[in-house]
Amino acid sequence: KKHDENTIDYTVQVVLAQSCEQEHSTQDMIETECKKKEPDDSITSFDSIQNPFDGWSGSTIKCSICHHVRPIRSTPFLGLSLPVATIQSTFLQDFLAAEYGGFQQAEQVSDVQCMSCAILKKINELEEENLLVTSAISSVQRRKRGRHAQQQCNAGGVGDEKDDTNDDTIVGLLKESQQIDKELAALKAIDPDTDENDDDDNTGESNDLCDYYNIHDNCRSLNGMSPLRCNAYKASFLIRPPKVLCIHLQRRHYDMACDRMVKVMKYVDFPEVLDVSSYCAFRTNSFGQKNMNVSINDVNENLKKLSSTKNEISYKLMSVIEHKGNAFGGHYQTYRRTRKVDVLGDEGMSSPKREYQPEWALVSDESVVLRTWSDVRRCRAYMLFYVAIS
């Protein structure tokens, strides 16, 4: 009986030990699985992956009178669409310059509201008024000094009398000058690009300039001031070029003579390496207007700066899509860049003679044919895909 009790105790201890081991192993498995499910910072999430076609373009307006340039308004894009029918040139660079050439290729627009012109006009009016008031104060003071000197020369001590009329006039003119100075300071502090029609609380209350800039010192020049209408220049730029630049050549065009859509069959010459730095904002000639009077010294200085700093944004052509057909239907085929293959000559490794297979392939449905760059550049491109080199 004692032996049986010892056996039972031993068996219970073994079962308890096995259960503890299983519990620990289960806990370790759970911790391992939880660690696997924890997000790893080194792995990029899907939301943070940037689309290689994402780019940003922008446009701005420059007043033809005051030359004020408004802030650039940016717009995202996945590809650049360039009209073929409206441009006389056959070079891709000219098509890009026509759309994104900045103020060198600016479009003239009319009837544009310019708050900067209104502010400058009001400032000029106040400065002229302040000049008249200052002249009036000086004139009154001169008359007062002259009258006082004349009274000193007269007998009877009349010169001791005070001229209260002149003193009141000078005080009034000084107050008027101080008021004009306040209005000038308020006008010069105004940002002409502030959107006056935006109400943060959308209450519909009046949002005049005095309330917006917390000016409550009876600034009558600001009350009711509205923008002036004038001519301006509208320009477009590339703000952030994408990693993969997709260019769409719009060959489908409405012909008014035929009263229907037609396909423009014009050949467009495109380079194998494209530099888009001249179409980007914040470059040297971004905000330069054509037909401006620039001295030859300024031109030479700009040329020296451009030659010393080469800020190229280069792209390499990787694929060309061509459309075969008319404006209502057809077939698409692709020229794509392939990996360059070095093929040895018949004489083996020691032979200096080496043959290179073409870098391009023409893909049309199930047909794949090798082509050269001269074959590619002769096609009438419909879409071009460039990849950034740097």
Side-chain angles (χ1 to χ4, degrees):
K1 183 177 180 181
K2 185 176 181 182
H3 177 74
D4 294 339
E5 290 178 355
N6 294 335
T7 304
I8 293 173
D9 293 339
Y10 177 76
T11 304
V12 170
Q13 292 177 2
V14 170
V15 171
L16 290 175
Q18 291 178 354
S19 62
C20 291
E21 290 178 358
Q22 291 179 358
E23 184 178 356
H24 286 299
S25 61
T26 304
Q27 185 69 23
D28 294 338
M29 291 175 62
I30 293 174
E31 292 178 357
T32 303
E33 291 296 327
C34 291
K35 289 181 180 179
K36 289 182 179 179
K37 294 181 180 179
E38 289 180 356
D40 189 0
D41 295 336
S42 61
I43 300 176
T44 306
S45 63
F46 181 77
D47 295 335
S48 62
I49 297 177
Q50 182 181 357
N51 188 342
F53 293 93
D54 281 342
W56 288 84
S57 63
S59 62
T60 184
I61 293 178
K62 181 178 181 179
C63 179
S64 61
I65 298 177
C66 67
H67 303 292
H68 172 72
V69 180
R70 298 185 184 180
I72 296 178
R73 297 198 175 190
S74 57
T75 306
F77 69 85
L78 295 176
L80 303 180
S81 189
L82 307 176
V84 177
T86 56
I87 306 299
Q88 299 298 326
S89 177
T90 59
F91 294 95
L92 178 64
Q93 292 88 335
D94 294 334
F95 290 92
L96 287 169
E99 294 293 323
Y100 302 99
F103 285 108
Q104 301 293 329
Q105 301 289 336
E107 174 190 2
Q108 189 171 2
V109 291
S110 58
D111 200 23
V112 176
Q113 293 184 349
C114 182
M115 196 66 191
S116 178
C117 285
I119 294 173
L120 291 177
K121 180 181 178 181
K122 188 64 67 174
I123 287 176
N124 291 332
E125 293 176 355
L126 288 176
E127 287 179 347
E128 291 179 359
E129 184 179 352
N130 197 16
L131 183 62
L132 292 175
V133 172
T134 305
S135 301
I137 293 174
S138 300
S139 178
V140 172
Q141 288 177 346
R142 284 196 303 269
R143 288 201 306 265
K144 181 180 178 181
R145 287 194 298 267
R147 189 174 302 173
H148 182 70
Q150 185 178 1
Q151 290 176 354
Q152 289 288 343
C153 295
N154 294 334
V158 183
D160 295 335
E161 295 181 1
K162 294 183 179 179
D163 193 349
D164 297 334
T165 304
N166 289 335
D167 292 340
D168 295 339
T169 303
I170 293 175
V171 171
L173 290 174
L174 288 174
K175 290 182 179 179
E176 183 70 17
S177 179
Q178 292 175 358
Q179 179 64 28
I180 293 175
D181 291 336
K182 289 182 180 179
E183 295 180 9
L184 283 172
L187 284 169
K188 292 178 181 179
I190 293 176
D191 182 7
D193 299 312
T194 302
D195 192 355
E196 300 174 21
N197 297 322
D198 287 345
D199 294 329
D200 295 336
D201 53 359
N202 294 325
T203 57
E205 297 179 357
S206 63
N207 189 22
D208 61 3
L209 293 173
C210 289
D211 293 336
Y212 187 86
Y213 287 96
N214 297 322
I215 302 171
H216 302 285
D217 296 334
N218 191 20
C219 293
R220 47 192 185 181
S221 298
L222 301 181
N223 296 326
M225 187 172 62
S226 58
L228 298 181
R229 295 187 178 273
C230 58
N231 296 330
Y233 298 97
K234 183 179 180 181
S236 298
F237 311 89
L238 295 179
I239 297 179
R240 193 193 69 183
K243 295 181 179 179
V244 179
L245 179 61
C246 174
I247 300 177
H248 169 221
L249 300 176
Q250 296 181 9
R251 294 189 174 273
R252 203 163 181 262
H253 172 69
Y254 177 75
D255 191 349
M256 298 183 64
C258 302
D259 194 20
R260 65 187 180 93
M261 300 298 295
V262 296
K263 179 183 176 182
V264 181
M265 301 299 295
K266 181 170 64 175
Y267 168 77
V268 177
D269 188 0
F270 49 89
E272 192 172 5
V273 177
L274 177 65
D275 180 20
V276 300
S277 60
S278 58
Y279 318 116
C280 295
F282 311 114
R283 63 184 187 276
T284 305
N285 60 341
S286 292
F287 298 95
Q289 184 180 336
K290 57 182 179 180
N291 299 329
M292 292 182 66
N293 295 324
V294 183
S295 63
I296 189 64
N297 294 329
D298 295 337
V299 174
N300 293 332
E301 288 295 329
N302 291 333
L303 290 176
K304 290 180 181 178
K305 292 179 181 179
L306 290 175
S307 61
S308 61
T309 58
K310 295 181 179 181
N311 298 322
E312 294 184 357
I313 305 176
S314 300
Y315 284 81
K316 186 177 182 180
L317 182 64
M318 299 300 294
S319 178
V320 181
I321 297 178
E322 184 182 21
H323 179 262
K324 296 285 189 179
N326 54 28
F328 304 98
H331 174 70
Y332 291 98
Q333 60 184 17
T334 303
Y335 293 89
R336 58 158 297 179
R337 188 183 292 273
T338 61
R339 182 176 298 179
K340 194 172 184 179
V341 180
D342 185 1
V343 181
L344 295 176
D346 297 335
E347 299 181 8
M349 293 291 293
S350 61
S351 173
K353 181 180 179 181
R354 309 176 76 88
E355 297 179 358
Y356 295 93
Q357 291 188 0
E359 285 189 83
W360 292 88
L362 172 60
V363 182
S364 178
D365 292 338
E366 69 276 1
S367 174
V368 179
V369 183
L370 294 178
R371 288 289 183 264
T372 61
W373 167 242
S374 60
D375 298 327
V376 176
R377 66 185 307 175
R378 283 198 298 265
C379 75
R380 288 177 170 83
Y382 176 70
M383 295 186 74
L384 303 167
F385 293 89
Y386 286 89
V387 176
I389 295 177
S390 58

